[in-house]
Amino acid sequence: MQVTPYRPDPVYLSLGEGFADPVRPASFPRHVIRFRNDRHAAEMGLDHLRDDEWIAHFGKFEPLPDNLPEPLAMRYHGHQFQVYNPDLGDGRGFLFAQMRDSNGRLLDLGTKGSGQTPWSRAGDGRLTLKGGVREVLATEMLEALGVNTSKTFSLIETGENLQRHDEPSPTRSAVLVRLSHGHIRIGTFQRLAALKDAERMARLVDYCLRHYYDEEPGADAPVRLLELVAGQTAELAASYMAAGFVHGVLNSDNINISGESFDYGPWRFAPTWDGEFTAAYFDHQRLYAFGRQPQAIHWNVVQLARALTTIIAAEPLLPLLEIWPKMFEPAFHRKIRERLGVTSRSEDEDAALFTAVEGVLAGTDLNPDRLFFDWRGGVCPHRAEAYQGDHFAAFRNAIAAYANPAARAHDYWSDAAPVTMLIDEMEAIWTPIAESDDWTSFHDKINAIRRMGEATKG
Ligand code: AMP
Ligand code: MG
């Protein structure tokens, strides 16, 4: 077995001052490891840590060797529900460390719930344990479904009692460490635009191209960055849709410049293919409803383009915004085929398949996971009787040519039901934790999700 070495690389420091503020982590009364992601820790060369060392770094935030000497709360602005807010920034988190994985990719360890910062406003800087559990389950599920997502690296319960209006309170506290391909947001650019700080904006563009897109910046760097971000965010929007995932808060400070999905608060999976299905109880206008996510993400990319006009004329940026929907659509079709475990045929057949899948999902109360599970590999060996009516005719007809039973080789595809992560299941995992500190269902679910991920990979 090859052991991956730990490769620290705190390149954020190369940006210079003015992007973040050094902060002190909160000191917590208690540390109990609830989740350590040894799978990803292994890729970072950090899986050898003993539990007490893990707590020292990911609960007490003692610096990792040759890494950032102190945590940095990042500065950013952003549009929240399309209203500009210059008062954002890391209010309960910070950048803790940066390192390279086994493929040389730059990854951050960032926190959530690690204490107050200059950007906390009235907030306590804390994360609830339930919020942490929800982020673990969201990231595990999305990763298994092939969505480009941040990972939850660590969740440590911290022994405080928190007051929240959206959870029975007092409620337990936790600190989470997120492993992600950067923490630069569209809102990071918007802040520099608001400050008319062209010099730092140019530096940030170069930094992002170099470290998140592996390109040496040239004279057209801002145009190139927008082009790459447009492509990655179109992929991301397509992934959310094919996964039936509703992020809930697609504000511009929650859109990563690398196109990786992150920051999971009031997320939900849509139980049925309902475009109006909304995750956040405070999203009264349904701005970030299931079916409106592509528009919302596109809107955020437009804000990035506007910010970039601080250092470049608008003309070369406009066409990149116009083609966003044209990048989204084929990506969405491809992701639906991936969920079905079938490969592309002709353009016409692919379009017909997509229309038929959407038609069936939109026209019935079928759970999308159920359809994709039953029809994995374009065949339906176990529950054919459920798809007999006339309204399934077009779908059955379209999918017939795609039959690829080899995609069902893993025994997961012969289970009685797909692994899903609906809100009732989430609550059923939380209840025994809240009532008797019983974490069995939580760990069982993670194991089931990871097995589904293996089956989906092939
Ligand atoms: P979010 O909608 O979770 O992405 O958060 C929006 C802003 O609120 C960010 O600046 C967060 O850091 C901040 N924030 C959220 N919760 C808290 C909290 N409990 N304490 C301090 N700041 C918070
Ligand atoms: Mg956020």
Side-chain angles (χ1 to χ4, degrees):
M1 200 187 80
Q2 206 171 344
V3 178
T4 305
Y6 162 66
R7 288 173 60 194
D9 197 3
V11 287
Y12 194 80
L13 298 173
S14 71
L15 280 169
E17 62 79 37
F19 288 89
D21 299 271
V23 289
R24 296 237 308 233
S27 80
F28 297 111
R30 206 171 145 229
H31 298 89
V32 184
I33 298 178
R34 294 304 186 185
F35 175 73
R36 50 178 279 174
N37 196 335
D38 280 314
R39 211 160 57 147
H40 284 286
E43 284 177 29
M44 317 309 300
L46 291 170
D47 53 323
H48 63 275
L49 294 175
R50 294 188 316 263
D51 279 357
D52 60 319
E53 295 169 320
W54 188 276
I55 286 171
H57 292 302
F58 309 124
K60 299 179 182 168
F61 301 100
E62 289 171 17
L64 284 164
D66 304 315
N67 224 304
L68 294 178
E70 50 194 349
L72 296 174
M74 293 185 173
R75 300 179 184 178
Y76 52 83
H77 293 176
H79 278 95
Q80 296 180 301
F81 294 88
Q82 299 189 345
V83 178
Y84 194 73
N85 186 353
D87 240 350
L88 292 173
D90 280 341
R92 55 168 166 173
F94 49 66
L95 177 65
F96 174 60
Q98 289 185 298
M99 57 206 69
R100 302 274 167 186
D101 72 4
S102 49
N103 298 315
R105 247 165 65 101
L106 179 66
L107 289 162
D108 287 0
L109 290 176
T111 63
K112 192 170 186 176
S114 50
Q116 288 173 316
T117 76
W119 317 111
S120 299
R121 292 170 288 164
D124 60 4
R126 304 304 202 264
L127 171 69
T128 68
L129 181 62
K130 187 179 186 185
V133 163
R134 284 178 51 85
E135 182 143 340
V136 172
L137 292 169
T139 48
E140 288 286 330
M141 191 71 185
L142 291 174
E143 181 182 4
L145 290 170
V147 176
N148 178 16
T149 179
S150 68
K151 315 297 186 293
T152 304
F153 190 76
S154 167
L155 182 68
I156 294 178
E157 185 169 357
T158 46
E160 295 180 323
N161 291 318
L162 306 178
Q163 292 297 327
R164 289 290 184 275
H165 55 80
D166 52 359
E167 281 183 40
S169 294
T171 187
R172 290 150 76 178
S173 67
V175 65
L176 181 144
V177 177
R178 170 195 296 147
L179 181 66
S180 73
H181 196 36
H183 278 88
I184 311 279
R185 307 135 191 273
I186 287 181
T188 313
F189 286 83
Q190 289 180 283
R191 172 178 167 273
L192 295 172
L195 301 177
K196 300 189 171 49
D197 190 341
E199 195 265 327
R200 282 197 183 78
M201 169 109 46
R203 238 189 286 162
L204 188 63
V205 167
D206 288 359
Y207 177 92
C208 292
L209 273 177
R210 214 170 261 137
H211 297 298
Y212 301 121
Y213 291 102
D214 218 6
E215 278 196 16
E216 263 316 294
D220 65 340
V223 182
R224 186 66 188 134
L225 182 65
L226 185 69
E227 186 176 5
L228 291 162
V229 172
Q232 284 301 306
T233 52
E235 270 305 291
L236 179 65
S239 298
Y240 279 173
M241 297 309 290
F245 182 72
V246 190
H247 179 283
V249 193
L250 292 175
N251 291 338
S252 63
D253 58 312
N254 284 342
I255 306 291
N256 195 320
I257 206 74
S258 71
E260 192 181 76
S261 169
F262 80 128
D263 209 356
Y264 301 102
W267 63 269
R268 289 202 192 184
F269 281 89
T272 64
W273 202 260
D274 170 9
E276 290 295 317
F277 178 79
T278 306
Y281 66 90
F282 46 84
D283 186 358
H284 306 292
Q285 316 292 327
R286 298 185 184 277
L287 184 66
Y288 301 139
F290 177 50
R292 243 168 252 128
Q293 295 183 112
Q295 265 167 268
I297 293 175
H298 185 199
W299 191 89
N300 283 313
V301 176
V302 174
Q303 305 318 308
L304 173 64
R306 288 178 60 168
L308 289 170
T309 60
T310 305
I311 53 172
I312 190 177
E315 284 70 36
L317 301 174
L318 295 175
L320 300 172
L321 298 174
E322 275 163 32
I323 61 167
W324 195 93
K326 297 193 186 78
M327 295 193 274
F328 164 72
E329 219 178 86
F332 189 11
H333 293 196
R334 172 164 38 80
K335 302 267 175 206
I336 290 287
R337 287 196 300 276
E338 282 169 16
R339 285 220 70 186
L340 285 166
V342 302
T343 50
S344 172
R345 290 175 58 80
S346 68
E347 214 171 289
D348 286 353
E349 282 171 290
D350 287 352
L353 177 65
F354 178 83
T355 307
V357 170
E358 261 222 323
V360 160
L361 286 172
T364 64
D365 278 342
L366 257 177
N367 170 256
D369 296 304
R370 180 88 243 184
L371 180 89
F372 296 129
F373 179 81
D374 286 344
W375 285 89
R376 176 76 185 179
V379 293
C380 185
H382 302 301
R383 292 181 73 249
E385 70 288 352
Y387 300 91
Q388 291 306 326
D390 281 351
H391 49 293
F392 293 112
F395 167 70
R396 285 204 318 269
N397 197 30
I399 203 165
Y402 286 82
N404 170 30
R408 306 186 69 95
H410 196 286
D411 59 8
Y412 167 74
W413 303 108
S414 301
D415 284 2
V419 172
T420 53
M421 194 64 254
L422 299 171
I423 188 69
D424 297 354
E425 299 174 86
M426 173 61 230
E427 294 298 333
I429 290 167
W430 175 249
T431 302
I433 298 173
E435 287 177 356
S436 54
D437 209 25
D438 177 354
W439 290 77
T440 321
S441 326
F442 173 73
H443 291 294
D444 287 351
K445 189 71 183 192
I446 291 169
N447 290 335
I449 292 171
R450 289 185 173 187
R451 175 168 164 266
M452 182 263 283
E454 286 305 311
T456 304
K457 253 188 264 160

